[in-house]
Amino acid sequence: MLENIGTEGYMTISKPVAEVALVLDWILADNRSPVVAEIGTGVGATTKTIVEKLDNRGRLLIFDYQDRVDGLTADFRDLGYSNIEPFGNTRLRFDSYNWNLAKLALKARETGPCLDFAFLDGAHTFTVDAPATLVLKELVKPGGYLLLDDLLWTMATSPTMKNIAADLYTSEQMETPHIRMICELFMANDPAFQRVTEGISTSRALYRKKA
Ligand SMILES: C[S@@+](CC[C@H](N)C(=O)[O-])C[C@H]1O[C@@H](n2cnc3c(N)ncnc32)[C@H](O)[C@@H]1O
């Protein structure tokens, strides 16, 4: 999977997200073995940053389609990294990483929140990412971080989605940034979370759960 980074067809998902490295540095300053989750791995551009920064300490939980997470786990294992836990789902129409996140959250109700840092960068649609956000809010530990990517992304301006989605969504839904709506609805008014803007670009939103 990693061999796809920088190759034709994968250029838009070949650059690591800088804010992930920044937040990880903040966390690693106090906690050398954090638990991190990347939801939506692409071909592993940002996963690679996380893996290298953790350097076999803590745990990295990755969520995506089964072939993607299995491919990345094997690639990193071959490079000597063994702290990656794959959570794959099928490509059935209504399946998504939500189901694996939901199962994890049910377990966390018994054992407590487990994530120091969650990076949500998956479907970017309300249908998939509204439940993902609600579940991640539970999974993040007090003092932990939740970073949402593509705050301003719309299906109407996406070269890959605009044709596929035209039969599935209204024009209002095509033109509205779903992640921004999710942030307004579930994050901005939640007193348990504080928005962090230092070092974060306008296309992303970072929240810290109050300790
Ligand atoms: C923008 S890419 C992630 C890029 C990656 N975080 C990075 O920084 O390089 C979005 C990812 O979400 C995954 N995704 C989208 N919808 C999904 C679904 N329903 N189930 C599982 N994965 C999904 C895609 O397979 C893709 O790998």
Side-chain angles (χ1 to χ4, degrees), residues 171-188:
S171 47
E172 181 183 64
Q173 290 159 355
M174 294 281 293
E175 281 153 26
T176 301
H178 290 211
I179 297 295
R180 189 176 67 192
M181 191 169 177
I182 287 167
C183 287
E184 282 168 4
L185 203 52
F186 302 129
M187 301 304 303

Side-chain angles (χ1 to χ4, degrees), residues 25-89:
D25 283 343
W26 295 342
I27 294 169
L28 285 165
D30 291 330
N31 174 4
R32 299 303 292 163
S33 299
V35 182
V36 179
E38 184 183 17
I39 300 97
T41 59
V43 290
T46 304
T47 324
K48 191 163 176 285
T49 301
I50 304 170
V51 167
E52 288 171 354
K53 282 204 177 276
L54 290 181
D55 198 15
N56 271 325
R57 296 175 307 241
R59 296 161 62 202
L60 172 59
L61 284 48
I62 54 172
F63 297 78
D64 207 297
Y65 295 115
Q66 195 73 54
D67 56 308
R68 289 205 154 174
V69 293
D70 286 348
L72 282 174
T73 307
D75 288 349
F76 286 117
R77 195 189 312 117
D78 291 347
L79 292 168
Y81 297 104
S82 55
N83 60 337
I84 298 142
E85 299 173 30
F87 290 83
N89 58 262

